[in-house]
Amino acid sequence: MITLEARNITKSYASHTALDDVSIEVPEKSIFGLLGPNGAGKTTLIRIINMIAVKDVGEIWLNGKPMQPSDAAHIGYLPEERGLYKKMKVGEQAVYLARLKGMSHHDAKTKLRWWFEKFEIGGWWNKKVEDLSKGMQQKIQFIVTVLHDPRLLIFDEPFSGFDPINVNLLKTEILRLREEGATVIFSTHNMASVEEICDRITLINQSKNILSGDIHQIKQSFKTHTYQIRYQAPRNLLLPANKFEVVNDMKKGDYQEAQIKILTNDTANVLLQQVMQQAEILGFNELLPSLNDIFISEVGNNNGL
Amino acid sequence: MNKILLIIQREYLTRVRKKSFIIMTIVGPLLMAAMIILPAFLAKWSENTDRKVAVLDETGWFFEKFKNEDHLSFYYVFGDFDKEKEEALSKRGDLLLFIPLPELNVPVSAELYANKQAGLNVTSYIKSVMKQTVENKKLLASGIDPDIIKSSKVDINLVNIKVDEAGIEKKSNTEVEVGLSIFAGLMIYFFIFMFGAQVLKGVIEEKSNRIVEVIISSVKPFQLMTGKIVGIAMVGLTQFLLWIILTLIIVGMVQLFFMGSDMASMQLPEAQAGLLNPATQSEGSNPMMIVTDILGSINLPVMAISFILYFLGGYLMYASLFAAIGGAVDNDADTQQFMFPVSIPLIFAVAMSGVIVNQPDSTLAIWMSMIPFTSPITMIMRIPFGVPFWELGLSLLLLVVGFTLTTWMAGKIYKTGILMYGKKITYRTLWTWLSAR
């Protein structure tokens, strides 16, 4: 089942087109990556989904129905530009933001207590926000985003400004929320940060959708039949140049590591047979392109580089 | 709707709980009460000290002319100047009035010696007695009986009577009206800026804190803006109400505990009251009566209700413009650039106050009290002089139309502006936002 579908969204500002016929499909309980360089139009699309910006053309469907203003209560949105009232107390502020989402005062308080316990920040309730560190404030922002049990979570550049420990904490929580039935959208230009947790991605560049699909299929379709072999041998590998290209072969401590591209339709077995005759194999694996590689090659092509 | 109430509640509570609000609420009435009480208190206090004046009159003209007053008594000495001066000042702490014998002329100068500066009531009494005495002598020397002059004196009492359209005549007292008019106009000006600035500050705070996008994912930008404006308006009304109540309480308490119940019937010396307020000399010098007088000559309920309505209307008019500015700009320098043109009508209205109070029914005054940008100040200045109800109604109606329009315009600029960072805003950009769908 598709949770969120954006169909042919176009949005123009006075001086430029922010989105040009962009469509995305986010299946239920998936983690979806909306990727693209800065200025590609990601934030505009996210704002349109959150009904903060108005689209010129296109439709947004949520759970099989055109989106209504009341649906905002089912979305948890962590914007890229995020902050809190500095002079307000943490607990009071969190309750206020939760009530704006439509929660009752009592529910908001109970749930907040639970989350504060979980993140071990119970003592912050009566502190002013300005007395907290940036990382602490981000924890609060995360809690406020997910507090009302939204079915759809949207994070715009979620990990910018987080330290690695908090990034892990957040990833764990997001995966747990997905287990509990939430659908998650990440918008980011930092591919490495979402590569391991995204199921599907859409790549946007210069206002256009240039690549969409299941992350494993995309990686497969972009693979270059390159393999990495670790071995021990008295000398470097010697392979027929018409069948294999040695991209790299160098000594690493007491073993050698080589990246070899198969140029024909041969399988990896053929390569292994060749190597086995010359060396003792310690490790072998296929090298799939990282999202970053795909991104750079696609965006580069797209920009005519 | 429920969400707007939440926003109003937050805006209201965070401000009312602030230290600065509480301090302002307490200090305001103290100042007001001081303004009402202090003059009367000082007058009473200075009058309470008994002073004795030794009169050394070399001319002999003024013997027995100085009469004892409530807290002022005179006695006559005839010794040597140095000796009498020393005795009066050192031994008894009295004053010495020395009237030297003039060589040629009538005595027109005298010297008053004292350890402590003699009060205004003492000096003015002495002066008036000496003047009277010398004048009488001169008149007698010219063969004129001073009593004839006295009996020929009249007091002209000019009463301004305003006749309205229904032919009803009303006594009016221009000085009081001018005072009230300018005071009310300045207060409106001050309050619009004070609370308008809070709106501006609040919007800029939300934008620079980056919390605004979090909030407008739950509520519409227009709701956030109007919620803030209404919340702050309620802060303003709360402050007024507390000021009025506290001022009345403080004045009442001071009357009761410190001055006794006789304060209301207290008399200022004639000469002093005359100096302070020549206009009221003929009506008696009781300070409380002056106040009563002010209250009596003006339609206070109309004035009070109008003050609240014009404060609210003017505030809504300008607060929404300030909110738009706060939403559009990123930094203080840009704020100044847009604040100035927006403030010009208000400043103009205050600058014209002299013209308005001189001719409250002139064409200029009527136009300025109709145009919503100036009407909150100009109309409140005209009301003490009497304004027909249809003019008041029309002006209020135009003000409502005015702030509806500015709020609508401000909403459009605000909604686009709050999500823009690091962009230099020009009037052209604002126009694009305004004309966007």
Side-chain angles (χ1 to χ4, degrees), chain B residues 46-66:
Chain B
S46 69
E47 198 191 6
N48 270 343
T49 31
D50 288 341
R51 314 227 52 174
K52 282 189 192 152
V53 181
V55 181
L56 178 57
D57 178 15
E58 286 188 346
T59 62
W61 283 35
F62 305 104
F63 186 65
E64 297 292 315
K65 295 284 190 220
F66 295 106

Side-chain angles (χ1 to χ4, degrees), chain A residues 12-15 43 47 50-54 56 69 72-73 77-88 92-93 96-97 99-102 141 144 156, chain B residues 2-4 6-11 13-14 17 202 205-206 208-221 224 228 415 419-421 423 432 437:
Chain A
S12 303
Y13 290 108
S15 51
T43 297
R47 282 181 177 165
N50 278 294
M51 289 174 290
I52 290 170
V54 184
D56 298 339
Y77 172 44
L78 185 67
E80 181 179 6
E81 299 284 1
R82 49 188 177 251
L84 296 165
Y85 289 112
K86 300 246 181 299
K87 303 272 177 199
M88 240 177 139
E92 193 185 349
Q93 176 152 208
Y96 171 66
L97 293 172
R99 292 186 69 192
L100 281 184
K101 280 282 179 195
Q141 282 157 3
V144 168
D156 196 355
Chain B
N2 196 17
K3 288 179 179 173
I4 265 210
L6 271 173
I7 294 169
I8 294 173
Q9 188 189 21
R10 193 201 83 87
E11 297 293 338
L13 287 180
T14 51
R17 283 196 224 132
E205 184 200 7
E206 274 166 0
S208 59
N209 275 354
R210 304 287 197 262
I211 196 177
V212 68
E213 194 167 349
V214 176
I215 292 178
I216 62 170
S217 66
S218 311
V219 301
K220 289 207 176 71
L224 178 60
K228 184 179 284 296
K415 147 181 113 173
L419 296 176
M420 294 275 177
Y421 293 104
K423 207 176 158 189
T432 333
R437 281 152 299 152

